[in-house]
Amino acid sequence: MTQQTQALAGLRVIDFSDTRAGTQTSQLFADFGAEVILVERPGGSALRRDGAWPFWGRGKQSIELDLKAPDDLQVAQRLAGSADVVIESFRPGVADRLGIGYATLAAGNPGLVYASISGFGQSGPLAGLQGYEGIVMATFGAMSALSTLSPGDGPGFASAAYCAFATSQLAAQGILAALYERGKSGAGQRVETSLAEGLTVYDTFNWFSRVVASRFQDSFTQTPVSANGVPSGGLSFRLLIALTKDGRWLQFSQTVDRLFRAMMAMFGLTWMFDDPRWKTAPDFDDVDTRREFWEILLAKVREKTVAEWAAEFDRDPNVWGELFRKGSELLDHPQMMWNGMTHETADRDVGALRMPGPMIRADATPARIGVAPRLGEHAAALRRIAEALSDPAPGGTAPPAVRAKPPLDGVTVIELGTYYAAPYGATLLAELGARVIKLEQPDGDPHRNMLPFPEVSGMKVLQGKDCVAIDLHGDAGRAVAHAIIAKADIVLQSFRAGVAERLGLDAATLHAINPGLIYQSAPGYGESGPCGHRPAFAPTIGAAAGLAWRNGESVIPEGPDLSPAETKAAALRLAAAVMGVGNADGLSAASVATSMLLGLVARQRGAGGQVLFTSMLSSAAHALAETMVEYDGVAPPDRADAIVQGFHALYHLYKAADGRWLFLAAPRQREWERLCGALPGGTALRDDARFATMASRRDHDAALLDALAETFATQPAAAWEALLRAADVACVVCAPGPVEANYLDAGSVGQQLGLVTETDNPFLDRVPRLKALMRFSRSETVAGPAGLVGQDTDRVLADFGYDAAEIAQLGERHVVVQN
C-alpha cells in the first residue's frame, strides 16, 4: 500500500457517542489507523468507569467539551467540519439542537459520512425512548423469550450486550459502505441504524418458521422445550449440553447426520439405529421417549471426566464437546492464542494489560493497537487544529438527498460458506447492493433443511443471493468456480482447516487467478491450529467464549454431585443462556460483513487484494469485551442478580399489579431524580439517605429493589409505562415472546417502525422479510428474495461467459445442478 500500512490511515473520525455501540464502532476505525477523536462531556465519558475502558478507548484521542458552551461548540463544529466521519448516538433530535447535526456539519463538508445510532430509529412512535439495551430487549420480547433462564416466575435478563455489539457492526458497515461509495461519487451522506435492528441479526430461522406456521397451521411447529421440561426436537440432542464426571459442562456440536452418528458411535449407542423404538434418533414424537433418550445421553457423558472426553475427541475429530468457559477464560483458549488474536501490553495507567486483539486480521493492512487516552489528553493540540479551521456555514442545510444506487453496486461477492455464521455476513452486503453468488454443494447448503419444513431454515441467510449448485470436489467444478472468481471482488469461505486447500479454493490459488481479490476467511475456530479442524456451531462457540456463562452464571450450578434432576434443569438453563435470544452465529456474521467492507475500502484506497481473517471466537471476544479485559484492580462488570432479572434495582424487571412485567432503566442521576418525581411516594425515596447517591444506591440495592417492587405491584403495567415515559423515564411493558412476533406480526412494533417489507419466494409466493438494517440519506438498499438450490445456475454461468451448450453439458455431467 503506497505510503500507508493501515486500511483507514488518513481518515479523521469524530466520535460524539457515549454509548457502547458508538464506542465499539469507532474502536474499529482506531484499530485500523484512522485518527479517532473522542469528544467527551465534562467529567468524561461514562464508559471510563467500566473495566473495559482500556479496550474501548484504545488508539483514540480525547478532548473534553461542553457542547452547550459556545466556545467549546465552535471547537467541536470545526473539528467535525474537517472530518471524514462523525459518529453520534444521542437521542433523535439532540445533535441538531446542540448544533452538531448532519445538516449543520454537511453544509460545509459535503463529503462527510455521518452515522447516527439510536435505540429505535430517528423517527416513529419510539424515537424519543431512551435506547438502553434492556429497554430494546424488553420491547421486542427478548426478556420473555428468556423466561427459562430465570428461576423466578417472570422473564429473564441477558447480561451480554447483544444489541449494542451487533449495532456497532451495522454502524461500521454503513460507514464503510458510504466511504466506498464516496470514493466513486465524491459525496458523503448520513447513515442510520438502531439497536432494534441490531437485535435481529441473531434470528437464524425463527422468522420464516413463524411465517410457515401461520400459513400451514397445526402442520409445522418448532418449540425448544416442551411443557414437561423435556427438549422437544432432535436439534436439542444434536447440540447436547451435558455434565461430565468431574462436574464440568460440555456443549456438543453434532448438527448434521454424519456428525451425530459419530457421537452416537463414541457413546457406544449405534445399536439404537437398528432398534424399532430408537431408530428415528434423535427425533421422537413421544415426550416420554424423548425424556428417556435424553437421560441416556446425559448418563453417557457423565461416565467420563473432561480430560477423558478430550482424549476421545482427539481420537475422532468429527465429535466435539466444548467446555463452558467463564469470564475472560476465552483469552486462554488455545485457538485464540494460535490465531494471535489476544493482545498483551504494559499499559501506562493500569500496568500489565491483556485483552482481545484486533477483531480482524488483515495481512496487507494490519491493525495497530494503541493506548486509551487520558481524559482531555489531546485537548491542547486539538484546539490548535480547530483554531486553524473555519466555522460551518451559518444556517447551513445538508446537501440535497438525490437518490443514488446502492453503495456496493457493482461489487461481486462469491460465497463458499455454509450455515449462518459467515454466510449471513454476505447477506448484509447483498442488502447494500453487492451481487452475492452462493456456490453451494449439489444437494444444497445443509442450513436449508435443518427444520422439518423444506427450505425454511435457510431462507433468511439466502436472501438476495444468486444460488449456483456446483460440485467443487471435481476438476470441472473447480474450473467453473475459478472462472467466476477471476472476475469477483470478494471471496468468502468458512471451511474447516485444510478444506479450502484440498478444494483448490485457498487464498494463494485464488490470488494467482485474481490478484486484486479480497479473500475473507471466516472459520469457526481457525485455518489451522489445535481446533481448526473442529466443527463449530453457535452453541459450541457460545460455550467456549463464555457467552453462556455471562448470561447464566448466577443460576448455573456445576460439580460432580449434581443430581440427575438438577443436571437436567441446569442444562435447559444453559441452553437458554447460550442460544435463547442472541448467539455466536449472529455475532460472527456481523463481524464478517464488517471485515469484507474494510477490505473493500482498503483496496479502493490502494491496498490491493489481501487476505482477511475473522473467527467466531474473535467476534465473541469483542462482543464480550466487558469480561475480556485483564489487569490488576479491574472493575468487574455488572452481573445479573440471583433471579437473572437485572443488574441492579434501577436496571431491572418488575411485576405489576396485573401480572405483567415492566423493565425499568434509570441508572443515571438525572433519571433517578425524574423517577422519584414521578412515582407515588418517590419523595421519600429521594430523601432516604441510603439512596442519596449512585454509590449509596448500589450499596443498598436490595432495599431499593424491594421498595420499587412494592410500588410497581400497586398498578397495572401499562399505567406505569405511561406515567414514567411522560416523565422521560425509560420504562416499558415487557412484550411476550417470541422475538420475531414483535417484528413480524400485524400491528407489531417492528411493523410500526417500518422495518418490514415483502419479497417473492419460489414456493411461498409473497413473504414478509426485514428491510436492510441500515438506511442512507442518498443510497438505496436492496431487499431481495431467497432462491432454491441451483435456481440461478444457468443465468450466472451465462453472465460469466458460458454459452447454452456449455451449460447444458456441465449439467449432463453433473458438474452443476440446474433448477
Side-chain angles (χ1 to χ4, degrees):
M1 200 168 185
T2 306
Q3 301 298 316
Q4 188 173 317
T5 59
Q6 288 190 277
L8 305 177
L11 295 177
R12 174 172 287 174
V13 178
I14 310 297
D15 185 0
F16 288 108
S17 69
D18 194 15
T19 64
R20 178 165 175 176
T23 202
Q24 286 204 258
T25 302
S26 64
Q27 181 195 30
L28 175 91
F29 285 81
D31 280 356
F32 283 92
E35 177 194 22
V36 176
I37 299 170
L38 181 61
V39 177
E40 302 190 64
R41 66 180 62 190
S45 169
L47 296 170
R48 286 183 174 274
R49 296 192 290 270
D50 199 292
W53 171 251
F55 175 76
W56 289 331
R58 67 191 191 190
K60 301 176 184 179
Q61 301 177 38
S62 169
I63 184 170
E64 190 177 6
L65 295 175
D66 180 357
L67 297 178
K68 296 179 181 178
D71 290 346
D72 280 3
L73 175 60
Q74 183 183 55
V75 171
Q77 289 176 331
R78 287 182 171 186
L79 290 173
S82 70
D84 299 279
V85 177
V86 163
I87 300 168
E88 63 91 5
S89 59
F90 300 108
R91 278 198 274 174
V94 172
D96 291 321
R97 291 198 297 272
L98 289 173
I100 54 169
Y102 174 62
T104 298
L105 300 180
N109 183 4
L112 178 67
V113 173
Y114 185 102
S116 295
I117 301 170
S118 62
F120 298 93
Q122 296 297 310
S123 60
L126 299 180
L129 181 57
Q130 294 92 329
Y132 284 109
E133 176 102 12
I135 293 293
V136 175
M137 295 279 277
T139 299
F140 286 98
M143 292 187 178
S144 297
L146 288 169
S147 60
T148 56
L149 184 59
S150 173
D153 66 344
F157 173 84
S159 297
Y162 288 124
C163 298
F165 177 76
T167 305
S168 75
Q169 298 310 297
L170 295 178
Q173 291 158 32
I175 294 168
L176 290 167
L179 288 171
Y180 180 77
E181 196 275 343
R182 186 184 75 168
K184 296 184 291 183
S185 71
Q189 58 186 311
R190 186 176 188 177
V191 182
E192 299 174 11
T193 191
S194 68
L195 271 68
E197 287 155 303
L199 179 58
T200 68
V201 307
Y202 303 102
D203 172 28
T204 56
F205 48 62
N206 289 334
W207 178 290
F208 288 107
S209 296
R210 188 172 184 83
V211 171
V212 171
S214 69
R215 301 266 182 98
F216 305 96
Q217 294 180 10
D218 301 325
S219 66
F220 177 71
T221 57
Q222 182 72 15
T223 54
V225 180
S226 75
N228 299 42
V230 178
S232 67
L235 188 59
S236 298
F237 300 129
R238 294 176 186 275
L239 298 172
L240 178 69
I241 296 172
L243 195 69
T244 64
K245 185 177 182 179
D246 49 349
R248 294 298 303 273
W249 290 99
L250 290 178
Q251 170 71 69
F252 286 81
S253 189
Q254 315 301 125
T255 57
V256 297
D257 189 59
R258 66 179 181 84
L259 298 181
F260 178 73
R261 285 180 172 268
M263 183 180 79
M264 292 290 281
M266 184 173 286
F267 289 174
L269 296 176
T270 53
W271 60 267
M272 287 183 139
F273 296 120
D274 298 317
D275 186 295
R277 185 183 179 198
W278 304 108
K279 66 180 181 179
T280 62
D283 300 299
F284 307 101
D285 293 330
D286 177 64
V287 67
D288 290 328
T289 304
R290 291 201 305 273
R291 180 187 293 108
E292 187 175 347
F293 183 68
W294 187 27
E295 291 169 351
I296 290 170
L297 297 184
L298 292 174
K300 281 293 180 182
V301 177
R302 198 75 175 261
E303 291 175 359
K304 292 181 172 65
T305 65
V306 168
E308 290 169 335
W309 279 118
E312 290 291 304
F313 301 150
D314 287 340
R315 180 175 60 80
D316 186 351
N318 285 316
V319 186
W320 181 231
E322 183 65 86
L323 193 67
F324 279 85
R325 285 174 168 80
K326 309 171 185 177
S328 61
E329 289 178 350
L330 174 59
L331 298 180
D332 295 314
H333 193 291
Q335 191 67 43
M336 278 287 287
M337 299 174 73
W338 178 274
N339 292 341
M341 302 191 94
T342 60
H343 180 74
E344 298 184 27
T345 188
D347 185 83
R348 58 183 178 171
D349 292 324
V350 302
L353 169 65
R354 189 163 72 137
M355 58 184 167
M359 186 180 71
I360 302 162
R361 199 174 66 207
D363 68 348
T365 58
R368 293 180 182 173
I369 305 302
V371 299
R374 293 166 177 158
L375 179 60
E377 178 178 352
H378 305 92
L382 292 172
R383 286 180 182 276
R384 286 195 296 271
I385 291 172
E387 287 175 5
L389 298 170
S390 59
D391 292 326
T397 58
V402 178
R403 302 308 292 172
K405 291 180 179 180
L408 300 189
D409 181 63
V411 173
T412 300
V413 180
I414 309 303
E415 179 192 305
L416 300 171
T418 56
Y419 292 101
Y420 190 90
Y424 185 62
T427 306
L428 292 170
L429 267 59
E431 293 174 354
L432 300 179
R435 182 183 192 184
V436 179
I437 301 171
K438 183 176 182 65
L439 302 184
E440 58 186 320
Q441 60 200 52
D443 59 345
D445 186 333
H447 192 52
R448 289 178 179 272
N449 297 304
M450 289 182 68
L451 297 178
F453 197 99
E455 294 288 339
V456 66
S457 54
M459 285 175 65
K460 180 181 179 184
V461 79
L462 292 164
Q463 291 174 146
K465 300 180 181 179
D466 290 339
C467 297
V468 176
I470 183 169
D471 179 8
L472 294 172
H473 292 275
D475 291 342
R478 263 194 300 276
V480 174
H482 286 174
I484 294 172
I485 290 168
K487 299 178 181 179
D489 298 284
I490 302 172
V491 160
L492 166 63
Q493 68 89 3
S494 58
F495 300 121
R496 284 200 256 171
V499 174
E501 288 77 8
R502 290 197 298 273
L503 294 176
L505 297 169
D506 56 289
T509 298
L510 299 187
H511 273 142
I513 297 168
N514 181 351
L517 186 69
I518 298 158
Y519 186 91
Q520 173 67 51
S521 179
Y525 284 104
E527 299 167 305
S528 59
C531 299
H533 61 295
R534 300 293 190 185
F537 296 95
T540 328
I541 301 299
L547 186 65
W549 215 261
R550 174 73 176 128
N551 289 325
E553 61 184 314
S554 59
V555 290
I556 304 298
E558 60 178 352
D561 299 325
L562 289 187
S563 69
E566 290 172 324
T567 300
K568 288 191 285 187
L572 293 176
R573 286 213 177 100
L574 270 175
V578 75
M579 288 290 288
V581 172
N583 53 64
D585 271 350
L587 300 176
S588 177
S591 305
V592 167
T594 302
S595 182
M596 290 189 287
L597 279 158
L598 178 73
L600 200 61
V601 170
R603 188 182 70 173
Q604 187 184 58
R605 304 181 78 231
Q610 64 172 315
V611 179
L612 301 170
F613 173 87
T614 59
S615 75
M616 292 178 75
L617 286 180
S618 65
S619 301
H622 279 246
L624 290 168
E626 73 276 15
T627 70
M628 293 291 162
V629 180
E630 298 177 348
Y631 54 89
D632 286 343
V634 61
D638 285 332
R639 300 183 187 278
D641 59 14
I643 56 172
V644 199
Q645 290 189 335
F647 284 142
H648 51 78
L650 296 176
Y651 201 79
H652 205 274
L653 286 154
Y654 291 97
K655 191 174 185 179
D658 56 354
R660 300 182 71 189
W661 288 78
L662 297 153
F663 188 79
L664 171 71
R668 299 188 177 188
Q669 180 64 31
R670 64 179 181 272
E671 294 165 337
W672 162 254
E673 292 169 357
R674 292 199 293 262
L675 176 67
C676 291
L679 286 177
T683 301
L685 287 176
R686 184 186 58 210
D687 295 341
D688 191 319
R690 296 174 299 172
F691 311 139
T693 66
M694 291 178 66
S696 64
R697 289 193 288 276
R698 288 297 187 101
D699 290 341
H700 298 92
D701 188 66
L704 181 55
L705 185 67
D706 288 345
L708 290 174
E710 184 177 347
T711 298
F712 283 123
T714 63
Q715 292 189 48
W720 285 120
E721 178 182 300
L723 175 70
L724 294 181
R725 284 188 57 189
D728 200 23
V729 175
C731 180
V732 295
V733 178
C734 289
V739 173
E740 61 274 10
N742 295 292
Y743 288 91
L744 169 63
D745 291 1
S748 66
V749 177
Q751 294 278 0
Q752 293 174 37
L753 297 182
L755 302 180
V756 182
T757 186
E758 283 191 339
T759 190
D760 293 317
N761 183 265
F763 62 94
L764 291 174
D765 297 323
R766 297 291 290 174
V767 293
R769 59 152 290 174
L770 285 165
K771 293 180 180 178
L773 304 184
M774 63 201 77
R775 288 156 305 289
F776 299 83
S777 59
R778 289 191 304 106
S779 297
E780 300 283 358
T781 55
V782 180
L788 301 177
V789 178
Q791 176 178 299
D792 305 297
T793 298
D794 288 4
R795 178 170 55 83
V796 169
L797 293 184
D799 288 348
F800 282 84
Y802 289 84
D803 62 32
E806 290 172 316
I807 296 169
Q809 186 180 54
L810 289 170
E812 291 169 3
R813 294 163 53 200
H814 305 293
V815 175
V816 300
V817 174
Q818 300 149 296
N819 192 330

